[in-house]
Amino acid sequence: MIEHLFPTQIWKSSLNIKSSVKDDILESIEKNYQKHKSYLNPHWPCNVHSTIFENNEVDYRNIVPYFKNEYEKFSKHINLNNHTYDISNIWYNYYLAGNNQEYHDHVASKRTSIYSMVYFLKINDEHPKITFYNYTNYHVLFGSN
C-alpha cells in the first residue's frame, strides 16, 4: 500500500492588485534595478539580478496587504486559524532574456520561513513557466533511524 507522507502542496491564486499599486512598485523596482543592475549575487549559481540580500531600496508597503489577504485565505483554507505571522524578507528577482534561476528549495535551508510565496508582477507568454521539483530523497539528507 502506498500512502502519501509529507506531500508538497501548492496554493495557486491570482491576486487582483490595483493597477496603480502594481505600476508604482514596478516603477520602483525598475529604478532600483537601473541603480544596481550590475549586481549579481556572487554566492548564487545563477544569472539574475536579485535583491534578496542587498540593494533592496523598494518600498513594498502598498503591496503587502494583498499578500496578507492571500495568506489569510490560505490559512483559513487549511484550518490554520488564530496564529501570529509575519510577512517579511520581501525581495525581487529581475529577469532579462538569458537570465536563469538555479534549482533550489526553501525546505533544507537555515531560513525560518514555513511558507514561501512567488508573485510575478509582470510576465508574458514568452516567459518560461515556473517549475517545481519533487525532491523525494530528503531522507538521505536528514538520515533515518
Side-chain angles (χ1 to χ4, degrees), residues 53-116:
F53 296 119
E54 55 189 281
N55 301 322
N56 195 355
E57 300 167 17
V58 176
D59 182 356
Y60 298 97
R61 279 183 290 186
N62 291 337
I63 204 165
V64 167
Y66 294 94
F67 298 155
K68 181 180 185 287
N69 183 53
E70 193 62 29
Y71 179 76
E72 288 172 353
K73 286 194 297 187
F74 164 75
S75 297
K76 185 176 179 180
H77 183 77
I78 64 168
N79 297 317
L80 182 63
N81 302 310
N82 301 321
H83 70 288
T84 58
Y85 64 93
D86 182 33
I87 296 176
S88 59
N89 200 19
I90 299 173
W91 71 90
Y92 70 82
N93 286 357
Y94 193 104
Y95 297 94
L96 297 171
N99 288 154
N100 69 300
Q101 181 71 54
E102 87 285 7
Y103 299 126
H104 67 281
D105 65 61
H106 297 184
V107 177
S109 71
K110 294 180 181 177
R111 296 186 182 109
T112 58
S113 61
I114 297 173
Y115 300 107
S116 296

